[in-house]
Amino acid sequence: RVGGCLGNGLIGMPVASRPCMAALLLLTLLCAQLLPLASTTALLVVNDGSDVVELLTPIQAKVPAGERWTGNLGANELALHLESPTWPSALSVDVAPGRYAVVVIAPNNSVFTHDANDLQVELSNAAHACEATRGQGESPWMDCLARAAFGGVPRNFAGSAWTALWEDYSYWHLCEAAAPAAAVRTLEARSGHQVEVLQDSPLVVAVRGFLNESDCQGLMGMLGKDELTRAHVGGSGSTGTSDARETLTKNMFINWGEDNLLSSTSARFFDIASELFGTEIPYEGQEPINFLHYLRGFEYRPHTDGGAEFLGKRVATSLVYCEAASRGGATVFPSPSVQLRFVPRPGDMLFFRYEPSPADALHAACPVVEGKKSTLTQWYRLGVSSAEPWHKFENWGDYHNPHGKSRWRGERYGRPSSLEL
């Protein structure tokens, strides 16, 4: 998939130095993010029922009892019609659009459908069950994975789905099995919050319990979850949806002219970010808070938020986790030189900057396995203002902030000195 985006010029490229490899990795990920959503669906039918099951439309196939069948469905072929001698009548089953779908006929002849997110979680469960075989090599481990998923699936299907949904073992292990990052040292912010330095370069810190439950519930109550839309990724002159960013979102525009929960919370974001960054980051002219809601299987594949510290460009990111998944949903940094896994608790903030090595600020939101996750994302820029807002420094299309000219009248920064990080 990525090869088609990059072209054939990379084939046969000699091994590069680490900086070149990092740049190539980022380019590959960017191409993957900007490609459109899948137009065909790989279908797996698992027949654990008591008799043969026949697929009638839109494809024709017979799946004997105890067997598995794989095929492909087009974008307009997601309504399956099945029948079996033991059923009173033919059955219609709707398959969710996406890269993969699984239809399981249970031993009692009940029929269940699973989408790509369900398959990803099932493969993760199988990978946990097969951890002991990993030391025997890739082939025995993949054999075990294929046997464990859905009671046994074709090995080639398991292998292709694993690569598409988890990339590779190292990324899965970082998301699901690696030990959470431990603090290098702990400091106290001016606000009294404990700041855990998880990494020095690029700087990654956790501020535990930054928002309390009441504030989080109040902020999420402003949203109206029925108004959430599929998240976009930025491109040249526009943005678009992508399989790489599977989450629901809504922007929260700050009216700096009003002192309310949203504006006062945002002021707290900028105050502690300025303390951590070591310079005063302007309140006005910034991107809105980006609320992200992750359901089971939702994720955001490895990506970077920004690069070198140019005027008006993003220089740092903070995430506040108002809801944390009961399993999965970690934030990881998977670059070759940084391997870090942060497991949040509700109310925690994660802050990181990009310099001195933006490639090492590569990060990802791992798939939610159980529960749900909701985050408040703020990107920080230097040199912006209400007169020179952030979108003037980007080529992402037209943008309207209804409160773009508002200014904060409350306390700003105080008289802080930066934390000695």
Side-chain angles (χ1 to χ4, degrees):
R1 187 174 69 155
V2 172
C5 176
L6 295 177
N8 295 325
L10 297 177
I11 303 299
M13 178 180 287
V15 175
S17 63
R18 171 175 282 183
C20 290
M21 290 296 288
L24 178 59
L25 175 62
L26 293 178
L27 179 60
T28 300
L29 290 167
L30 177 61
C31 287
Q33 289 178 31
L34 296 180
L35 285 172
L37 302 176
S39 59
T40 61
T41 298
L43 174 66
L44 167 68
V45 178
V46 176
N47 185 5
D48 288 333
S50 58
D51 208 337
V52 62
V53 170
E54 186 172 358
L55 282 68
L56 303 176
T57 58
I59 49 179
Q60 294 78 46
K62 291 185 178 181
V63 188
E67 298 293 325
R68 278 76 175 120
W69 179 91
T70 61
N72 291 295
L73 299 174
N76 299 316
E77 300 177 336
L78 300 179
L80 298 179
H81 298 279
L82 314 158
E83 69 174 8
S84 177
T86 56
W87 298 353
S89 61
L91 183 67
S92 295
V93 175
D94 291 327
V95 174
R99 290 171 290 178
Y100 288 90
V102 180
V103 176
V104 176
I105 297 91
N108 65 357
N109 290 322
S110 298
V111 178
F112 301 93
T113 60
H114 304 275
D115 62 13
N117 292 333
D118 298 325
L119 176 58
Q120 187 176 35
V121 171
E122 180 71 11
L123 289 173
S124 180
N125 292 336
H128 279 291
C130 294
E131 271 285 78
T133 67
R134 184 67 189 177
Q136 302 172 21
E138 181 73 20
S139 184
W141 178 78
M142 185 54 68
D143 289 341
C144 179
L145 194 77
R147 290 193 301 270
F150 290 113
V153 301
R155 191 184 188 281
N156 60 346
F157 179 88
S160 63
W162 176 263
T163 300
L165 301 175
W166 280 109
E167 297 184 7
D168 55 30
Y169 173 83
S170 62
Y171 180 65
W172 171 84
H173 186 271
L174 183 62
C175 275
E176 282 286 299
V184 176
R185 58 190 174 280
T186 301
L187 308 163
E188 185 172 314
R190 294 189 314 276
S191 60
H193 290 101
Q194 295 300 300
V195 175
E196 298 179 1
V197 180
L198 306 180
Q199 177 181 277
D200 285 308
S201 183
L203 178 67
V204 181
V205 303
V207 185
R208 297 292 186 179
F210 182 75
L211 287 186
N212 60 39
E213 182 179 0
S214 176
D215 287 345
C216 273
Q217 291 301 318
L219 290 166
M220 291 192 296
M222 298 177 181
L223 287 160
K225 288 189 177 180
D226 56 337
E227 298 177 7
L228 300 181
T229 60
R230 180 72 182 264
H232 284 212
V233 295
S236 178
S238 65
T239 64
T241 58
S242 166
D243 279 332
R245 191 182 190 192
E246 191 177 16
T247 179
L248 301 174
T249 186
K250 186 178 181 181
N251 283 330
M252 304 181 75
F253 295 94
I254 315 302
N255 185 348
W256 290 112
E258 296 182 1
D259 187 357
N260 54 33
L261 177 60
L262 181 58
S263 60
S264 62
T265 299
S266 187
R268 292 174 58 195
F269 285 4
F270 283 95
D271 285 352
I272 197 164
S274 297
E275 188 177 7
L276 296 170
F277 199 85
T279 192
E280 293 182 353
I281 300 173
Y283 287 25
E284 295 86 3
Q286 302 280 353
E287 295 176 70
I289 292 175
N290 186 225
F291 175 78
L292 296 173
H293 186 59
Y294 296 82
L295 302 174
R296 184 175 186 266
F298 280 19
E299 63 177 321
Y300 193 175
R301 291 291 184 94
H303 63 284
T304 57
D305 289 347
E309 294 178 359
F310 294 121
L311 185 69
K313 296 292 188 179
R314 292 175 179 173
V315 296
T317 300
S318 69
L319 304 169
V320 174
Y321 304 81
C322 276
E323 294 178 304
S326 54
R327 181 180 159 207
T331 298
V332 298
F333 292 77
S335 78
S337 55
V338 175
Q339 295 281 298
L340 187 153
R341 178 178 182 236
F342 177 67
V343 180
R345 299 189 293 262
D348 288 350
M349 170 187 275
L350 184 70
F351 173 91
F352 57 95
R353 64 186 297 180
Y354 318 143
E355 289 283 25
S357 177
D360 290 335
L362 185 76
H363 60 286
C366 295
V368 170
V369 177
E370 293 178 4
K372 56 189 176 181
K373 182 176 77 170
S374 296
T375 64
L376 303 170
T377 301
Q378 181 67 65
W379 296 287
Y380 300 96
R381 298 169 183 257
L382 301 177
V384 297
S385 65
S386 56
E388 292 289 326
W390 69 271
H391 57 90
K392 289 192 175 183
F393 299 90
E394 302 291 354
N395 183 27
W396 294 351
D398 293 335
Y399 185 82
H400 173 66
N401 180 350
H403 311 299
K405 299 299 183 182
S406 63
R407 288 185 55 80
W408 179 243
R409 304 301 180 185
E411 291 188 5
R412 191 187 297 248
Y413 314 119
R415 295 181 179 275
S417 58
S418 63
L419 279 175
E420 295 296 328
L421 295 170

